[in-house]
Amino acid sequence: LAARLDGLQPRERAIMERASIAGREFSRNAVVELSPSDQQSDAGGVLMTLVRKELIQPFRSMFPDDDGFRFRHDLIRDAASRRLPKEDRARLHKGHADWLELAADRSTELDELIAYHLESALRYLGELGRSGEAIDALAARAGERLAAAGRRAMHVRGDLSGGINLLTRAASVLPEHHPTRRAILPELGSALMRAGDLDRAENVLTAALEAASAAGDRRLELRVMIEREFFREFTRPEGSVEEILDVT
């Protein structure tokens, strides 16, 4: 596969690499937006050349009035992606997330996909040792998208395990003192308790209490204290309702 990619024309190789960032399935407009301005006009023609060379194939697009494609095999996509330096992967993942936000036209259905690309950009930037306000802002964007997707998974689709996964990722990526992180920790603790993961539930609720206290958010602090006491009443036979009443 690497030899086949080496044998492509430079612009064909570049299109393959950019498409690999968008995913196994991608749209023509996504690749166009990831391309330099002087290469955007012929991106569609290059994609059709790659179809004839049997590296990609036409596929349905999630966006109306846009052509869709997919890699013929995950290994082809992986080989194309590995050619990119981490710096370029981070830039392209962020660029694709930016494009998805505009293409989705404020739709919430792509929160998880957008968050994945923001997380990927963060991971590569972290491996490069990058830090600072721009990285924190990127982390906040990813975390807010993950939090929204996690809440929707639990409350709209009834997907408890999926919601836990998304909220856990949100809590790990959000800056420590971000208000969204404080807000989702009690929700995550409660979800873990319902899922029977009691050790993690207690740890998350304790972290939620510490975060609320550090922020001076007395209302959230009381909410977490009540949640934690109900949790302890549930897990400790020696507990008593009086402990909950003391908190309230």
Side-chain angles (χ1 to χ4, degrees):
L1 288 175
R4 285 192 68 188
L5 293 177
D6 286 338
L8 295 174
Q9 296 296 318
R11 287 201 174 184
E12 295 171 352
R13 232 177 5 253
I15 289 292
M16 288 284 288
E17 291 165 359
R18 293 168 198 144
S20 74
I21 294 298
R24 185 178 183 187
E25 300 164 7
F26 58 93
S27 74
R28 177 180 58 83
N29 285 341
V31 174
V32 169
E33 289 300 316
L34 290 176
S35 301
S37 57
D38 62 340
Q39 298 179 25
Q40 292 182 346
S41 61
D42 63 353
V46 174
L47 286 169
M48 295 312 300
T49 299
L50 294 171
V51 170
R52 290 193 293 273
K53 293 185 176 183
E54 298 186 339
L55 292 168
I56 63 175
Q57 62 191 33
F59 195 70
R60 67 181 181 275
S61 173
M62 69 173 70
F63 301 107
D65 303 321
D66 196 357
D67 297 322
F69 299 89
R70 70 181 299 176
F71 285 92
R72 283 193 171 270
H73 198 284
D74 284 336
L75 291 175
I76 299 175
R77 181 200 172 194
D78 293 344
S81 176
R82 281 197 297 269
R83 299 177 63 91
L84 289 165
K86 290 180 181 179
E87 181 87 34
D88 290 342
R89 292 185 211 176
R91 175 178 55 80
L92 291 170
H93 274 295
K94 180 185 177 298
H96 190 54
D98 293 341
W99 178 80
L100 283 171
E101 287 182 332
L102 294 175
D105 193 23
R106 300 184 182 277
S107 169
T108 59
E109 295 302 317
L110 295 181
D111 279 336
E112 188 173 350
L113 180 58
I114 293 169
Y116 161 77
H117 287 287
L118 293 172
E119 282 182 298
S120 297
L122 281 170
R123 182 176 71 255
Y124 291 124
L125 290 170
E127 291 174 2
L128 291 169
R130 304 295 170 77
S131 61
E133 292 183 3
I135 303 300
D136 290 343
L138 198 63
R141 283 178 62 193
E144 287 167 0
R145 289 282 184 176
L146 287 166
R151 285 166 167 160
R152 188 165 53 256
M154 288 194 297
H155 303 311
V156 177
R157 300 199 305 269
D159 181 2
L160 183 62
S161 62
I164 288 173
N165 173 268
L166 290 163
L167 291 183
T168 298
R169 286 160 58 192
S172 67
V173 76
L174 282 165
E176 184 176 353
H177 302 297
H178 196 282
T180 299
R181 184 176 185 275
R182 289 199 303 275
I184 65 172
L185 284 175
E187 299 177 49
L188 177 57
S190 178
L192 288 166
M193 185 167 64
R194 297 201 306 274
D197 195 342
L198 303 183
D199 288 339
R200 278 188 66 199
E202 183 165 22
N203 291 336
V204 169
L205 289 174
T206 298
L209 185 59
E210 292 171 352
S213 177
D217 189 338
R218 184 59 177 165
R219 182 175 181 179
L220 181 60
E221 187 177 1
L222 289 171
R223 174 189 165 192
V224 177
M225 290 173 69
I226 293 170
E227 186 81 38
R228 191 174 68 168
E229 291 307 320
F230 271 114
F231 168 77
R232 289 178 174 176
E233 174 70 14
F234 177 73
T235 57
R236 294 185 307 169
E238 69 275 12
S240 67
V241 176
E242 283 73 16
E243 293 180 41
I244 299 174
L245 294 177
D246 287 342
V247 173
T248 58

